[in-house]
Amino acid sequence: MAAGTVHVDVGFRSERGPILLALMLATALVALESTILATAVPTIVADLGGFTQFPWLFSSYLLTQAVLVPVYGKLSDVFGRKPVLLFGIAVFALGSLLCALAWSMPALITFRAVQGIGAGAVLPMAQTIAGDIYTVAERAKAQGYIASVWGMSSVVGPAIGGIFSDFVSWRWIFWVNLPLCALAAWVLVRSFDESQTEDRPERRPIDWAGAAVLALAAGLLILGLLEGGQAWAWASVPSAAIFLASAALFVVFVLVERRAADPILPVWVFTRRVLLSTSAVAAMVGAVVMGLTSYVPAFVQGALGTTALVAGFTLATLTMGWPVAASQSGRLYLRLGFRATALIGAVPAICGTALLTRLDVHSQIWHVATCCLLIGLGMGLIASPSLIAAQASVGWSERGVATGANAFARGLGSAVGVAVFGALANAAAGGTDAPDAGQVAASIDPVFTAVLIATIALAVAAATIPGRPADAS
């Protein structure tokens, strides 16, 4: 393939179009779930009670989703992508059914964790399958299609959540997942046949001990990051106990993996430069995106005095610019290389986050939307090429682990972002329960500064990505 040449045989009308549609439908399950629930929280609390517990609706889901990603990645390299993705869709459907039938807030929190167990397989498997069936030249456009689902969900999700909550029932937020799951599974079963894969390794005993210890260690770490400063103080016995237990379990995990015949997270993940650099990029992307999705709507509503709907559309410019840039990134990385493409993307990303730090109560909505659009365009040129660089550096038998490690790093970055940004906002707010517009702006300003620092760190991490996809597969 000549440098700079990009296949156009990627859309829905191509031979692989039905598979791409199945991957987009599967991604839509996770994408919608991340946006549709937020607008329904007041209605859920009014029906089930448990106001002090409702943050766990998000924490339990994110926790189980993040900790199982590396496990699913390894299992997909052994059993194949299709059965792991179908398992994830089935568990996600089960969790959705249970959530729709929940009778109390604790029950709903538990069932959201079940949803997260399924979601942990869906998104990384969709990305891995795209890496399997498309060439390096085609993957950017394919990832652009998949990323566009997030843009549509950022607009459609809050609207559907509000409509269901106000006019039908919040339970329909979960009922609607069932036909979507059935459709995604049906299209996947009919369209995707991976039986011809020649690079599949010989099956070995699954490292269940390593998987369990890794899940516990990562779970405690992410739990401590998500709930530190919220459910308990950072400098407290529960916080110290959780982090110490997590550290001890990570030590045990290393010992277990040294003796495992086929480790759930092989040592080579930590020794290959391309995987370390792209995982660092993924972690920073997770932190930046978490800061934006958590605090841009709060700023737009609290400091600028708009409605939740306007805030949602303002943030949507982030996820609209992302797939546009991601779909075109292939033209750049084939001509210039992965590193140069990511560094080009860092320019609008840094400019956008720098402009965020200049916002105040007198700013206009279009100012905020412009910042988000610039950041989204930059992220599309950073996140997709870095993921493709990681996938291109390995063969089929290692691609699930490589993609899972990337997704896990992003989830961990999001958890760290929640902890750091929350601590900064709370410290700046000074314990005010009913802040005015000026106080809201002042409390979020240090968060935007931290997001700028994280974006600069993202650019530094991007500079370590290998340059050319010459040996890509």
Side-chain angles (χ1 to χ4, degrees), residues 17-30 82 85-90 92-93 122 126 129 176-192:
I19 305 176
L20 179 61
L21 177 61
L23 300 183
M24 292 178 68
L25 286 171
T27 302
L29 299 174
V30 179
K82 187 175 179 178
L85 180 53
L86 289 174
F87 172 81
I89 293 173
F92 187 88
V122 172
I129 291 172
V176 75
N177 287 333
L178 300 183
L180 289 176
C181 288
L183 179 60
W186 180 76
V187 174
L188 185 70
V189 168
R190 287 183 59 87
S191 62
F192 184 40

Side-chain angles (χ1 to χ4, degrees), residues 29-383:
L29 299 174
V30 179
L32 276 174
E33 201 61 29
S34 66
T35 60
I36 197 173
L37 186 63
T39 53
V41 166
T43 306
I44 294 174
V45 170
D47 186 18
L48 298 181
F51 176 78
T52 59
Q53 299 171 310
F54 87 82
W56 274 94
L57 290 176
F58 304 95
S59 296
S60 63
Y61 176 85
L62 292 173
L63 185 64
T64 53
Q65 179 186 15
V67 301
L68 291 174
V69 164
V71 178
Y72 288 130
K74 180 61 179 180
L75 292 178
S76 76
D77 285 342
V78 176
F79 297 106
R81 328 299 191 203
K82 187 175 179 178
V84 174
L85 180 53
L86 289 174
F87 172 81
I89 293 173
V91 175
F92 187 88
L94 174 62
S96 298
L97 173 64
L98 294 173
C99 286
L101 299 174
W103 54 89
S104 66
M105 185 62 76
L108 183 57
I109 290 169
T110 302
F111 300 149
R112 281 279 289 169
V114 176
Q115 265 193 318
I117 293 173
V122 172
L123 186 58
M125 284 306 99
Q127 294 174 329
T128 305
I129 291 172
D132 289 340
I133 66 174
Y134 292 108
T135 66
V136 172
E138 297 169 325
R139 285 174 197 166
K141 193 168 185 179
Q143 294 291 353
Y145 273 96
I146 295 173
S148 69
V149 174
W150 292 91
M152 291 183 287
S153 299
S154 67
V155 177
V156 175
I160 294 178
I163 290 171
F164 283 160
S165 298
D166 293 341
F167 301 106
V168 189
S169 168
W170 62 265
R171 297 179 187 275
W172 276 94
I173 289 174
F174 302 105
W175 285 122
V176 75
N177 287 333
L178 300 183
L180 289 176
C181 288
L183 179 60
W186 180 76
V187 174
L188 185 70
V189 168
R190 287 183 59 87
S191 62
F192 184 40
D193 178 15
E194 62 177 347
S195 61
Q196 303 302 315
T197 300
E198 298 178 357
D199 195 23
R200 189 173 302 187
E202 179 183 351
R203 288 192 181 182
R204 296 183 180 182
I206 300 298
D207 178 24
W208 294 116
V213 175
L214 176 62
L216 284 173
L220 287 175
L221 174 61
I222 295 175
L223 175 64
L225 291 170
L226 289 174
E227 296 302 316
Q230 304 295 325
W232 49 74
W234 287 108
S236 66
V237 173
S239 183
I242 285 176
F243 286 119
L244 287 174
S246 175
L249 284 171
F250 273 117
V251 172
V252 173
F253 172 71
V254 172
L255 297 176
V256 170
E257 295 304 271
R258 284 183 174 180
R259 302 180 61 180
D262 191 19
I264 201 74
L265 195 60
V267 175
W268 54 259
V269 172
F270 306 101
T271 59
R272 297 184 186 178
R273 174 191 162 196
V274 62
L275 296 182
L276 290 175
S277 60
T278 53
S279 292
V281 168
M284 290 296 102
V285 168
V288 170
V289 172
M290 181 57 66
L292 296 173
T293 55
S294 299
Y295 291 96
V296 165
F299 179 86
V300 171
Q301 292 180 77
L304 303 186
T306 69
T307 64
L309 185 61
V310 171
F313 280 117
T314 303
L315 183 63
T317 57
L318 171 74
T319 46
M320 289 176 179
W322 194 313
V324 171
S327 65
Q328 299 303 312
S329 64
R331 300 180 184 274
L332 285 176
Y333 69 63
L334 286 175
R335 186 179 299 274
L336 303 175
F338 293 122
R339 183 193 307 120
T341 302
L343 291 176
I344 290 171
V347 174
I350 291 175
C351 289
T353 51
L355 290 173
L356 278 180
T357 65
R358 308 302 298 171
L359 298 176
D360 57 31
V361 293
H362 304 295
S363 299
Q364 302 297 315
I365 295 297
W366 69 267
H367 293 161
V368 187
T370 300
C371 294
C372 291
L373 179 62
L374 283 172
I375 298 168
L377 290 171
M379 289 297 176
L381 294 177
I382 298 172

